Amino acid sequence: MPKAKVKEIKTIGVLTSGGDSPGMNAAIRAVVRKSLANGLNVKGIKKGYTGLLNEEIIDMDRRSVSEIIGLGGTILGTARCAEMRTEEGVKKAADICRAHGIDGIVVIGGDGSYRGAQKLSHEGINTIGLPGTIDLDIACTDYTIGFDTAINTAMEAIDKVRDTSSSHERCSIIEVMGRNAGYIALWCGVANGAEDILIPEKYDYNEQDIINHIIENRKNGKKHHIIINAEGIGHSTSMARRIEAATGMETRATILGYMQRGGSPTCKDRYYASVMGAMAADLLKEGKTNRVVAQKNGQFVDFDIDEALAMQKDIPSYEYEVSKIL
Ligand code: ATP
C-alpha cells in the first residue's frame, strides 16, 4: 500500500489559552526559535482562540521573543473563548488559519485548550498541545508548565503567614489554587509542614477531626496550627469562623489567590517549557498532528490528544499517606 502523504508545513501559529502560567513565555520562545531553525515561518496568535477568531495574528521572528524567558504571564495574552466550543467556531478558526497560510498550531494550555486543538486537527489544521497550567491536573503528564513556580510562590507566602501565626498563637487556614485538583495543596502542605492538608480528592468534610487535632496539639504546647486548604474545597473564611468557635483558638483565613499564577518562572519551568516547546516545533515539522507533548517517568514524550484526554490521574496514595504522618 502506498504510504499516506505527510502534509508539508510551511507556516505555524502559536497561541496560549485558558489560565496563564509562569513558563508559557519560555515555551513560546522555544516554539518560535526552533520552528525558525526548522525553516518554518511563525505567527503569534493573540488572546488564545478568541484572538484567532478575531484574526489578531502577528508575524514573529527571533527578536519577537527576546528577553521573555524570565517573564511571568504570556506575551501573547490568553482568554477563554465560548465560540470555539461550537462547530461553527471551529470551522471559522480553521478557515482563518488557511487564509493566513497557517498549516499548524501549537496550543499551550490545559485540557480544555486540547479539546479545541483536537477539533482544529479534525478540520485539517495540524495541532500540537503543550501542558500549560499551574494545577498539574493534566492526566497524560507528570509535569505541567507553571506548577513548579506556583508551588514555590505559595510555599514562600505560607512561610510568611506561619511566622505571624506562630507569634500570635493562631490557627491559619491558607487556601491555595488548583481548581478541582489538590496537587498544589499537597506539595505546599508537605513543604511547609502543615498540620492539616485538605485536598478535594481525599477530604471527607469531617471538620470535627480537624478541631480535635487542633485541641490535641494545643494541649501538647503547639503554638500555631497551619491548615492548607485546596481551592476545590474552598470556603476557608466560614471554615475559620467555625473552627475558632469550636476550639477557642483565634483562626484566620488567608486566600493566596492569583499571586500564585504570576511571577518569574523557576529554572525548572523555564527549562522544561523550553524543551517541550522545541519538541512541539519538531512534531509539526515532521507533519504530526493531534498530539500533545508530556513528561512521563522522567522522559519527554508525546501522545495522541484523544488518548491523552481519555487518561485518568489521581493523587499518589503513598505521598498522601506520608503527608498525614509528617
Ligand atoms: P486551565 O487549566 O488553565 O483552565 P484550560 O485549557 O483547561 O486551561 P478551559 O477554559 O477549559 O481552560 O479551555 C480554554 C479554551 O479552550 C476555552 O475557552 C475554549 O475556547 C477552548 N475549549 C475548551 N473546551 C473546548 C471544547 N470542548 N471544544 C472546543 N474548544 C474548547
Side-chain angles (χ1 to χ4, degrees), residues 17-21 24 48-50 78-86 90 107-119 132-135 137-138 179 261:
S17 167
D20 66 336
S21 67
M24 280 184 162
Y49 294 121
T50 305
T78 184
R80 300 195 196 267
C81 171
E83 194 182 350
M84 189 63 190
R85 292 175 187 270
T86 66
V90 175
V107 172
I108 309 167
D111 276 345
S113 304
Y114 289 178
R115 288 184 203 285
Q118 181 186 41
K119 290 179 183 169
T133 171
I134 64 165
D135 302 333
D137 61 348
I138 300 179
R179 288 202 306 181
R261 287 239 292 253

Side-chain angles (χ1 to χ4, degrees), residues 7 43 45 49 51-55 57 83-84 86-105 116 119-126:
K7 180 174 151 186
K43 292 185 188 260
I45 300 160
Y49 294 121
L52 178 57
L53 290 171
N54 292 335
E55 299 189 58
I57 299 170
E83 194 182 350
M84 189 63 190
T86 66
E87 213 181 300
E88 303 75 58
V90 175
K91 285 198 182 338
K92 184 176 161 192
D95 287 341
I96 290 171
C97 285
R98 279 186 279 271
H100 286 263
I102 296 172
D103 328 280
I105 292 194
K119 290 179 183 169
L120 269 179
S121 131
H122 293 158
E123 291 297 321
I125 306 299
N126 286 16

Side-chain angles (χ1 to χ4, degrees), residues 15-259:
L15 62 82
T16 47
S17 167
D20 66 336
S21 67
M24 280 184 162
N25 283 326
I28 294 168
R29 174 177 176 270
V31 169
V32 171
R33 293 199 167 167
K34 189 70 169 81
S35 296
L36 292 170
N38 288 346
L40 306 180
N41 302 314
V42 186
K43 292 185 188 260
I45 300 160
K46 297 202 160 179
K47 297 179 207 148
Y49 294 121
T50 305
L52 178 57
L53 290 171
N54 292 335
E55 299 189 58
E56 292 183 62
I57 299 170
I58 53 168
D59 291 324
M60 297 190 89
D61 58 20
R62 271 189 81 84
R63 298 259 62 82
S64 332
V65 289
S66 296
E67 313 279 343
I68 68 165
I69 195 162
L71 297 181
T74 155
I75 58 157
L76 292 174
T78 184
R80 300 195 196 267
C81 171
E83 194 182 350
M84 189 63 190
R85 292 175 187 270
T86 66
E87 213 181 300
E88 303 75 58
V90 175
K91 285 198 182 338
K92 184 176 161 192
D95 287 341
I96 290 171
C97 285
R98 279 186 279 271
H100 286 263
I102 296 172
D103 328 280
I105 292 194
V106 177
V107 172
I108 309 167
D111 276 345
S113 304
Y114 289 178
R115 288 184 203 285
Q118 181 186 41
K119 290 179 183 169
L120 269 179
S121 131
H122 293 158
E123 291 297 321
I125 306 299
N126 286 16
T127 55
I128 307 293
L130 287 183
T133 171
I134 64 165
D135 302 333
L136 199 68
D137 61 348
I138 300 179
C140 69
T141 184
D142 299 335
Y143 164 83
T144 61
I145 298 167
F147 176 72
D148 190 59
T149 307
I151 50 175
N152 280 291
T153 302
M155 182 187 74
E156 282 177 21
I158 295 164
D159 275 342
K160 290 175 180 145
V161 176
R162 186 194 182 91
D163 288 345
T164 166
S165 284
S166 207
S167 307
H168 287 266
E169 304 201 9
R170 254 185 214 139
C171 169
S172 281
I173 304 177
I174 305 166
E175 189 173 311
V176 297
M177 287 181 114
R179 288 202 306 181
N180 296 321
Y183 296 99
I184 297 178
L186 177 67
W187 279 64
C188 288
V190 171
N192 291 97
E195 277 64 42
D196 286 295
I197 305 171
L198 313 182
I199 58 175
E201 295 89 341
K202 305 283 183 189
Y203 185 45
D204 61 4
Y205 291 84
N206 184 354
E207 236 164 68
Q208 194 55 49
D209 280 353
I210 303 171
I211 291 163
N212 294 345
H213 194 195
I214 294 171
I215 294 169
E216 190 189 306
N217 278 351
R218 285 291 268 182
K219 276 194 204 141
N220 295 331
K222 189 114 201 174
K223 286 204 163 46
H224 61 237
H225 194 100
I226 304 289
I227 301 170
I228 304 297
N229 186 29
E231 178 184 8
I233 295 167
H235 302 286
S236 298
T237 308
S238 54
M239 195 187 286
R241 273 198 299 270
R242 288 191 298 273
I243 287 178
E244 180 167 309
T247 62
M249 187 177 190
E250 189 185 15
T251 304
R252 292 277 187 273
T254 304
I255 297 162
L256 296 186
Y258 286 117
M259 68 176 298

